[in-house]
Amino acid sequence: MLEKTTRVNFLFDFYQSLLTPKQRNYMELYFLEDYSLGEISETFDVSRQAVYDNIRRTEMMLEEYEKKLLLYDKFSKRQKLLEMMSQSLEESDPFKSYIDELRELE
């Protein structure tokens, strides 16, 4: 469950600008603010089922965006490569600081 939540959070970070304001609000409250479906439904004066359906549809949309654009996949691969490069260098190696700078850009 935690792995799925982490993935959805990353996908949301990458693709939130492609969502409608309502979708963004529901996803932020549910995944980032840890609101329950009931709390979100009360906030927006809609049924709990409507909130659930919207969140599930939005998750599927995020996965579709990822299938096409691969932003999260490329990000993950870059992170792994940076980690491997970092581990292969000595602390005193000047390239280690470049790798640290690259990580900060992500």
Side-chain angles (χ1 to χ4, degrees):
M1 180 67 179
L2 182 60
E3 189 174 300
K4 178 189 176 219
T5 301
T6 302
R7 179 177 172 79
V8 171
N9 282 329
F10 272 111
L11 294 179
F12 181 69
D13 284 345
F14 285 114
Y15 302 115
Q16 66 179 299
S17 62
L18 302 175
L19 302 176
T20 66
K22 183 164 93 172
Q23 290 170 323
R24 271 196 306 273
N25 286 335
Y26 286 5
M27 295 296 282
E28 282 177 19
L29 291 174
Y30 189 72
F31 285 102
L32 302 178
E33 302 295 329
D34 204 30
Y35 275 46
S36 69
L37 296 174
E39 290 170 323
I40 298 170
S41 69
E42 287 175 17
T43 303
F44 291 96
D45 197 29
V46 295
S47 71
R48 186 182 176 283
Q49 186 64 44
V51 173
Y52 175 82
D53 291 343
N54 187 292
I55 288 172
R56 293 299 158 241
R57 261 193 321 273
T58 304
E59 283 181 49
M60 289 189 303
M61 287 175 67
L62 292 173
E63 290 293 348
E64 285 299 312
Y65 293 146
E66 177 59 15
K67 271 189 206 175
K68 293 175 182 164
L69 301 172
L70 300 172
L71 295 179
Y72 177 61
D73 182 57
K74 291 174 185 175
F75 168 79
S76 296
K77 288 177 181 174
R78 276 194 309 274
Q79 292 300 311
K80 287 176 187 169
L81 285 171
L82 286 170
E83 185 60 33
M84 289 169 40
M85 290 168 58
S86 179
Q87 289 175 358
S88 68
L89 297 173
E90 298 293 323
E91 276 302 318
S92 60
D93 194 318
F95 287 106
K96 186 120 172 138
S97 65
Y98 298 142
I99 291 172
D100 293 338
E101 287 181 43
L102 282 172
R103 276 198 184 115
E104 288 178 22
L105 292 175
E106 295 291 333

